[in-house]
Amino acid sequence: MNVIEVKNIACPIDGEKLVSSGKQLNCSNGHSFDIARQGYVNLLPVQHKRSKQPGDSKAMVLARSEFLDSGIYEPISETLNALVLSQMREEKDHCILDAGCGEGYYLDSLCHFLKMQDCDRNVSFIGLDISKDAIIQSSRRNKQICWLVGTNRQPPVVTESIDIILCLFGFVNREAFSKVLKPGGLLILVDPGAEHLKELREIIYPEVNKTEAQETIAEKSGFTMLKKEVLTYRTMIDSNELIKHLLLMTPHFYRASKEGRLRAEALSKLDITVSVLFRVLQKS
Ligand SMILES: C[S@@+](CC[C@H](N)C(=O)[O-])C[C@H]1O[C@@H](n2cnc3c(N)ncnc32)[C@H](O)[C@@H]1O
């Protein structure tokens, strides 16, 4: 497959298509946005921000990068890559949006994987995250991907221009996703299953709740469920640093008590269960 340039970025203020002119993107109403030195574009105007530095902090982003680069979650990435390839439609041109892409690990891996496939399709890739630190880190991973700071509440892309939206461990906004997906376009959700990281949760919480991925999106929202699959495996983390990174990149870091966190941070190794639910939904 060939990686092609993204042509469907939209102005976050009025939704008009943005066109590149040198170091800026401009819309026909005169709004302009600088292309940063690292190659990303900040399309999150102050009026769309709910806090000064929204999204994951630099420390969380760096922890997630270190953890993901260790390869412990590589089977998740491989399963996602195969799933995306199996679900791509016949059309020659595809645009894939990773909504809440974090520091870019999964989209970068997908881009490399699809490039290796021997077929004549053209694919463009957009990584979107509300955290500027996450997008700066993403820009270091892959220069062929268009990295945008922006919000899932209003993805800055042209209406009905996306073939596949990926949302991994992220915040789903079904109305906004439906608006930017082409008719028949796909939403691929990746969420923690009930057993995911249960060993870590047993250490940090006095009582462990079963976490279930929410089923609501398909039933209520103009999407049809096409496929569900669960990936489960056990693995060992044998480094104190990686255990700390794992804790910091999950919501458990903020939910756990100080004592719970300290118990996990003292470990030098930990057996974990990774259990992840993949769902493919189609815009009806
Ligand atoms: C749990 S992380 C998952 C990151 C990545 N998908 C992964 O699995 O490695 C959630 C990400 O969503 C981002 N985020 C939070 N609210 C968002 C929003 N409204 N729009 C876009 N991204 C958002 C955070 O900054 C963070 O990078």
Side-chain angles (χ1 to χ4, degrees), residues 44 54-57 60-61 64 68 73 98-106 128-132 134 150-154 166-171 173 190 249-251:
L44 188 68
D56 281 9
S57 66
M60 290 172 83
V61 167
R64 183 170 296 115
L68 292 174
Y73 277 6
D98 186 351
C101 63
E103 51 65 70
Y105 172 80
Y106 294 102
L128 175 72
D129 202 283
I130 205 164
S131 157
K132 188 171 156 188
T151 173
N152 286 0
R153 282 189 287 275
Q154 202 176 315
L166 310 174
C167 190
L168 291 97
F169 307 105
F171 300 94
N173 187 313
V190 182
M249 70 186 241
T250 67

Side-chain angles (χ1 to χ4, degrees), residues 24-39:
Q24 285 189 329
L25 299 182
N26 302 303
C27 85
S28 56
N29 291 325
H31 302 119
S32 59
F33 304 88
D34 292 339
I35 302 173
R37 180 171 45 85
Q38 299 91 334

